[in-house]
Amino acid sequence: GTRRRHLVQMFLFEGVAYDVIAAAAGALLGVGVAFLMVRGMAAAVATGSDLKIAFAVKPASVVLAYALGVLLTLAVVTYSAWRVSRMNIVSAIRNLPEPPPEHRRRARWLAGIVAGVLGALLIASGASAQNAITLGFGVLLVILGLVPIARALGAPDRLVYTSAGLGLVVWFTLPIERWLFGDMKTDFSMFILAGLAIVVGASWAIMYNADLLLGAVSHSLGRIRGLAPTLKMSMAYPLRSRFRTGVTLAMFTLVVFTLVVGAITTGSFVQGFNNLDGFGGGFDVRAATSPASPIPDLRDAIARSGRPGLDAANLSVVSDQSMLPVKARQLGTSRTAQNYVAHGVDQAFVDHTTYRLAATARGYGSSAEVWRALGERPGLAVVDPFVVPRRSNYNFAPPPDFRLTGFELEDRTFAPPTVSIRDPQTGRQQRLKVIGVLSDTVPEMMGGVWTSQATLSRAFGDRVIPTVHLVALRDPSQAKPTAKALESAFLANGMQADSLQQLLDDAVGASLTFDRLIEGFMGLGLVVGVAALGVISARSVVERRQQIGVLRAIGFRRRMVQTSFLLESSFIALTSIVVGTALGIAVAYNVVADAKRTPSWESMAFHVPWLTLAVIFLLVYGVALATTLVPARRGARVYPAEALRYE
């Protein structure tokens, strides 16, 4: 006589008890892991950087994370409880498959048509707006909508889900939208959409063809007499519980896929950034003095200092630069003036620099031509790449206040916009025509608008006295001693000098540390998720107690039962690792290939951290076997008579 609402309430109360406790434990563990990650990040940037990272936790953030975890889990528990409450009583008592409701066919038609129509509209919108995310989401909805329609028409489930799954994998793995529609606008959210679609598609294709896959394994390994019966039993249960196995497989595959894509792309970009010519611009030492005690001409000051260790013969080029905080605004637009930085460079910098440009104004054929024009003609400027919009934007940093409009970085050439810069203290202004955009490989210290020192001096006078100096040495190996000698010689001027190679090494080291921390955090999530296999295995021991008893009664030994459970976990763990890695490498390769087509990363190489991934996956597989071993051994100890009497 128990009614459906009573069943829902019963399971809901049980789930809430677990939910509330688990969410609290998760929030506290999250704070602890975040503390360790912040300590690692702070140590990574402590050397050679003014950036300080400190641990900070707000109670509101912890409460919000806790509430989101509780609500998300509560929604899943509520749906599961509602689904269980609608069971067929006779089928449940006899342990038979649930018969499909009569209205399910109509619901399939309706859901498929709605998803298909909405997807078609999104495809049309994405194609017209050249937006890859809108287009991809539309393709996803169309494919998902065709699945229930095909099933309602009587098509076999294997054919339907295999075709849909492979369609999702192919569309979101290969750059088909670029082949059909050219370069489209995209950002990091495309990774999320593509990752979910690829994992769902791969899981469908695997689960509805797992019998063929495992049949091939059984045919090859089943010739081993002692292993054949164990293999067959370990295959039967995952295929019978297709939904549970598929969800578990998809969850682990998604984490592996994300880990592989993140490791490869970040590693490739870091290695592409690790280039002294692109970072130092042809110079070896960077020195900065206090604005209260500047050095207008560093070469002359070095010659007069007579300091031991400063060999004037080793100084190839000495460039003096000024820096002024300004309010900048692009003329001809409605945008207001925003905070920015103006830099003035001398002729020595213009003649020697190797800083590359990602885009140039029409009429300029090369980076060298732009720098030469900037030194010869007043009123010309080059800006950093962060203020220019782009079609493919994978940058996590917030955009700067000042931004240009009218062209995109991928255009490579553009009509030169005019920018007005104003000194907020004196009110003086200067108009600059932008003729170049720096490459993404330049360091953050190159942020701002760059023009000739003569242009800034004419407009702002003594407000732009040089305080930054770049030195190129005839013997670059003497960069560190030269930097120390400069600091000693001009201690009264508050000089801080650094080897640009050392600054590059520190920046690359900090980036690699960040990458490893993120990979470790994701690996920890994967380990925790794989540990859930132990819970599934423990549940399987309880559900299959009578089956185990029958197996033991017909001759299965304890070792065979135990091996069967270990093989089931191995199937999920190894399949997730192999499939997630293969799909992740394919997607990461496309990302790197697309990046190489952009103006800044033509020389970037595809870098796969095989050793790091191998260590993580071996650890994950070891945890999977370890968490399954305990319930597997317990199941193997079941006595046949006891199991057959079990109720």
Side-chain angles (χ1 to χ4, degrees), residues 102 106 149 184 217 300 323 368 389 504 515 585 609 631 642 647:
E102 295 295 332
R106 294 192 301 271
I149 294 177
M184 305 186 76
V217 175
D300 181 65
M323 183 174 63
L504 175 60
D515 293 343
I585 290 175
E642 179 185 346
E647 295 182 357

Side-chain angles (χ1 to χ4, degrees), residues 258-512:
T258 307
L259 178 62
V260 171
V261 173
I264 294 176
T265 54
T266 55
S268 298
F269 276 100
V270 169
Q271 294 300 326
F273 178 75
N274 189 12
N275 181 282
L276 184 59
D277 282 340
F279 184 88
F283 296 91
D284 302 297
V285 178
R286 182 181 187 272
T289 59
S290 170
S293 183
I295 304 176
D297 189 337
L298 181 61
R299 181 183 286 276
D300 181 65
I302 292 175
R304 288 186 287 103
S305 68
R307 171 72 63 172
L310 282 178
D311 185 7
N314 192 33
L315 304 180
S316 174
V317 179
V318 179
S319 171
D320 304 310
Q321 302 177 4
S322 62
M323 183 174 63
L324 178 68
V326 296
K327 291 285 188 178
R329 183 176 71 88
Q330 181 180 355
L331 299 180
T333 66
S334 59
R335 298 182 62 87
T336 59
Q338 302 292 336
N339 294 326
Y340 205 39
V341 179
H343 302 266
V345 296
D346 58 8
Q347 193 63 37
F349 176 90
V350 169
D351 293 338
H352 183 75
T353 185
T354 59
Y355 281 125
R356 294 187 303 115
L357 302 179
T360 59
R362 296 189 183 100
Y364 297 91
S366 65
S367 300
E369 188 176 346
V370 170
W371 288 119
R372 185 166 54 251
L374 186 145
E376 295 174 352
R377 292 157 47 193
L380 301 181
V382 169
V383 296
D384 64 73
F386 313 109
V387 300
V388 179
R390 55 190 73 195
R391 286 188 289 272
S392 299
N393 186 14
Y394 299 110
N395 193 0
F396 289 101
D401 294 332
F402 171 71
R403 280 171 287 175
L404 295 178
T405 59
F407 67 98
E408 295 173 330
L409 189 68
E410 291 84 355
D411 295 338
R412 296 180 182 265
T413 59
F414 57 90
T418 301
V419 174
S420 173
I421 58 174
R422 175 175 56 85
D423 182 1
Q425 291 193 12
T426 64
R428 298 177 182 175
Q429 299 188 35
Q430 173 66 41
R431 290 189 176 188
L432 301 173
K433 180 177 290 187
V434 177
I435 60 171
V437 180
L438 286 166
S439 168
D440 281 333
T441 58
V442 300
E444 292 185 2
M445 61 188 180
M446 291 297 292
V449 58
W450 296 78
T451 187
S452 65
Q453 180 65 29
T455 299
L456 290 187
S457 297
R458 185 164 42 251
F460 305 109
D462 57 3
R463 291 277 294 158
V464 288
I465 297 177
T467 56
V468 178
H469 311 275
L470 295 178
V471 179
L473 303 176
R474 301 185 190 279
D475 183 7
S477 64
Q478 297 299 310
K480 287 185 179 181
T482 302
K484 292 181 180 180
L486 285 172
E487 288 184 343
S488 299
F490 301 103
L491 182 63
N493 302 93
M495 177 172 285
Q496 180 177 350
D498 298 283
S499 162
L500 283 167
Q501 179 65 61
Q502 184 62 48
L503 292 178
L504 175 60
D505 293 340
D506 292 340
V508 171
S511 297
L512 290 175

Side-chain angles (χ1 to χ4, degrees), residues 39-88:
R39 289 289 299 272
M41 293 179 182
V45 301
T47 305
S49 175
D50 295 331
L51 178 64
K52 304 298 180 184
I53 300 179
F55 178 74
V57 57
K58 296 181 180 179
S61 300
V62 179
V63 172
L64 179 61
Y66 173 81
L68 289 175
V70 169
L71 292 176
L72 179 60
T73 308
L74 182 62
V76 176
V77 171
T78 303
Y79 172 76
S80 302
W82 172 81
R83 184 177 180 184
V84 170
S85 70
R86 302 184 66 83
M87 68 172 61
N88 182 283

Side-chain angles (χ1 to χ4, degrees), residues 83-149:
R83 184 177 180 184
V84 170
S85 70
R86 302 184 66 83
M87 68 172 61
N88 182 283
I89 298 175
V90 176
S91 300
I93 293 175
R94 295 182 177 180
N95 197 24
L96 298 174
E98 194 77 11
E102 295 295 332
H103 64 276
R104 182 171 295 180
R105 183 180 296 271
R106 294 192 301 271
R108 287 177 182 174
W109 276 104
L110 180 61
I113 292 174
V114 171
V117 171
L118 181 58
L121 293 176
L122 289 176
I123 290 175
S125 175
S128 61
Q130 290 290 291
N131 191 308
I133 301 171
T134 304
L135 177 66
F137 193 60
V139 171
L140 175 63
L141 287 181
V142 168
I143 293 178
L144 294 180
L146 290 175
V147 170
I149 294 177

Side-chain angles (χ1 to χ4, degrees), residues 156-173:
D157 283 354
R158 170 177 291 181
L159 176 62
V160 172
Y161 284 102
T162 301
S163 302
L166 294 179
L168 289 175
V169 171
V170 170
W171 179 273
F172 287 97
T173 301

